Amino acid sequence: MIVELYSPDRLESARRAAAEAGLDALLIGPSADLRYLTGYDAHALERLTLLVLPAEGEATLIVPRLERPAAEDSPALSVGVRLVDHADGTDPYHIVRDLLGDRVKSVGLGDRMWAEQVLALRDALPDATQALAGAVLRGLRLRKSPAEVEALRRAGRAIDAVHERMGEWLRPGRTEAEVAADIAAGIREAGHATVEFTIVAAGPNGASPHHGVSDRLIAAGEPVVVDIGGRMPDGYCSDSTRVYCVGEPPADFAAYYAVLHEAQRAAVAAARPGVSAQAVDAAARDLIACAGYGERFLHRTGHGIGLDAHEDPYIVAGNETPLEPGMAFSIEPGIYLAGRHGARIEDIVVCTPDGAERLNTVDTELVVL
């Protein structure tokens, strides 16, 4: 499984893409980009960890000496990366300069590299202009391979299993934080390596899309938005939102939930090759607006997913990118009534030649517990 995901082909594709973009090398620090290229899930530290990937030449992973065992245990060596370590008190940027020297005139830096490292690399390679490596790597990560799609399917099944247990945890008189703690344990029990987020938003808190959790007690008859996700051992992410009601829902909530349900299904149906990302957003947004809730839909319809929980493609107005087979993204329209309640329905889908395949298969109807 890991071998299929992390292979030397990714490094070679990145080399070609860098050369086509006019970059002499890519310099990638701890990030999903580093894991995508090498399989190494590195810690972001003040000590330098850096993949030096020339457009022509050997790939070298520079790591702190105390992190070398972890790097050796990762797939990095098997994909053809050479390891070089540096001891505390030494200057690792000399290693970068020695590897690239005066040969490079333009380098691509990881989009999320720390500023202090960006500036140190500028000093180490004073003749090289700096650009964002994301412009090169985005095109590689945008279309998932069959192995990546299968990894996302596993993640989808794992988070679905957590939603199926919600009746064990969600009931009146418990706090959002208590329910979230049980969900977090369930996410790990379902096979995730880490818990990335647990949003449990009851009643008026459901009107805040990124509420998180609080010590507020859940009351009978309140809608509860549950948005949860984790990261699997292979690095790929899950993300799914469902809405529950502990008792019969308020009449106004039930009315707009029906609108939301229709809008989410319409956006899933619209997602197919050649359709723009913004057209999928419009498929949900237009239905919600026509029902009078347009101003209550506060965010984009979706985001890409893979080794990052949020990545390209973004399903949003203004994004004219045509969908292609292999693109994986969320479809998650929402309606939020400030001070009262809110709702969001989220599935991860992958674009196939025939349309969108839902990777979350738990029912999207309102669940009354």
Side-chain angles (χ1 to χ4, degrees):
M1 178 181 68
I2 297 295
V3 173
E4 290 179 346
L5 283 169
Y6 300 108
S7 73
D9 293 344
R10 290 184 175 181
L11 289 174
E12 188 54 39
S13 295
R15 285 190 183 95
R16 289 196 300 269
E20 290 170 1
L23 298 176
D24 297 313
L26 299 178
L27 304 177
I28 309 297
S31 60
D33 283 340
L34 179 64
R35 191 166 190 180
Y36 177 82
L37 292 170
T38 68
Y40 180 37
D41 184 20
H43 297 295
L45 303 169
E46 74 282 2
R47 299 177 173 98
L48 183 69
T49 294
L50 190 73
L51 173 67
V52 180
L53 181 62
E56 296 182 7
E58 186 177 27
T60 302
L61 182 59
I62 301 169
V63 298
R65 185 159 294 168
L66 76 169
E67 298 293 327
R68 184 177 184 116
E72 290 176 334
D73 286 342
S74 79
L77 294 177
S78 67
V79 302
V81 172
R82 181 171 70 103
L83 282 181
V84 174
D85 62 43
H86 59 93
D88 283 354
T90 62
D91 181 3
Y93 296 95
H94 281 294
I95 303 173
V96 182
R97 185 166 57 247
D98 291 343
L99 288 171
L100 297 178
D102 299 328
R103 296 182 296 117
V104 298
K105 301 303 178 185
S106 181
V107 295
L109 305 183
D111 288 14
R112 299 176 186 177
M113 185 178 290
W114 290 359
E116 64 181 1
Q117 295 170 347
V118 171
L119 296 177
L121 288 168
R122 180 173 292 172
D123 290 341
L125 303 169
D127 297 326
T129 60
Q130 295 179 336
L132 290 176
V136 171
L137 298 177
R138 189 173 297 118
L140 304 182
R141 293 179 55 189
L142 189 61
R143 291 172 293 278
K144 270 54 180 181
S145 68
E148 288 181 285
V149 172
E150 184 53 38
L152 288 169
R153 282 197 191 99
R154 288 192 294 269
R157 289 194 294 268
I159 208 67
D160 281 354
V162 181
H163 274 294
E164 288 169 346
R165 297 182 61 189
M166 211 56 60
E168 299 177 29
W169 308 314
L170 192 56
R171 57 184 177 271
R174 301 198 77 201
T175 67
E176 294 172 342
E178 288 170 339
V179 173
D182 287 335
I183 291 172
I187 289 173
R188 293 187 180 91
E189 290 166 8
H192 294 82
T194 61
V195 178
E196 295 300 301
F197 52 90
T198 54
I199 294 174
V200 180
N205 289 338
S208 174
H210 282 173
H211 162 69
V213 299
S214 73
D215 290 328
R216 184 182 182 279
L217 292 173
I218 298 168
E222 284 191 330
V224 184
V225 179
V226 178
D227 183 352
I228 54 177
R231 192 177 304 276
M232 299 292 281
D234 58 25
Y236 285 79
C237 296
S238 67
D239 186 0
S240 179
T241 309
R242 293 293 185 266
V243 183
Y244 303 87
C245 199
V246 287
E248 287 304 310
D252 60 341
F253 176 83
Y256 74 73
Y257 189 88
V259 172
L260 180 66
H261 189 256
E262 181 183 2
Q264 203 265 351
R265 288 188 298 176
V268 172
R272 60 185 56 254
V275 173
S276 69
Q278 69 177 1
V280 177
D281 178 88
R285 196 169 302 278
D286 290 351
L287 279 170
I288 292 171
C290 286
Y293 298 102
E295 294 184 359
R296 308 293 189 172
F297 184 3
L298 305 177
H299 51 75
R300 64 197 174 206
T301 293
H303 56 81
I305 191 169
L307 288 169
D308 277 318
H310 286 193
E311 60 184 49
D312 287 299
Y314 292 98
I315 310 303
V316 65
N319 186 359
E320 299 179 355
T321 302
L323 300 182
E324 299 179 38
M327 291 183 177
F329 47 90
S330 69
I331 293 182
E332 50 176 308
I335 297 175
Y336 309 95
L337 275 61
R340 296 162 68 186
H341 32 59
R344 182 169 61 258
I345 304 170
E346 177 184 19
D347 288 321
I348 301 303
V349 305
V350 61
C351 185
T352 76
D354 301 319
E357 175 192 348
R358 289 175 62 225
L359 303 186
N360 299 109
T361 58
V362 173
D363 200 336
T364 55
E365 297 284 354
L366 177 66
V367 177
V368 178
L369 299 173

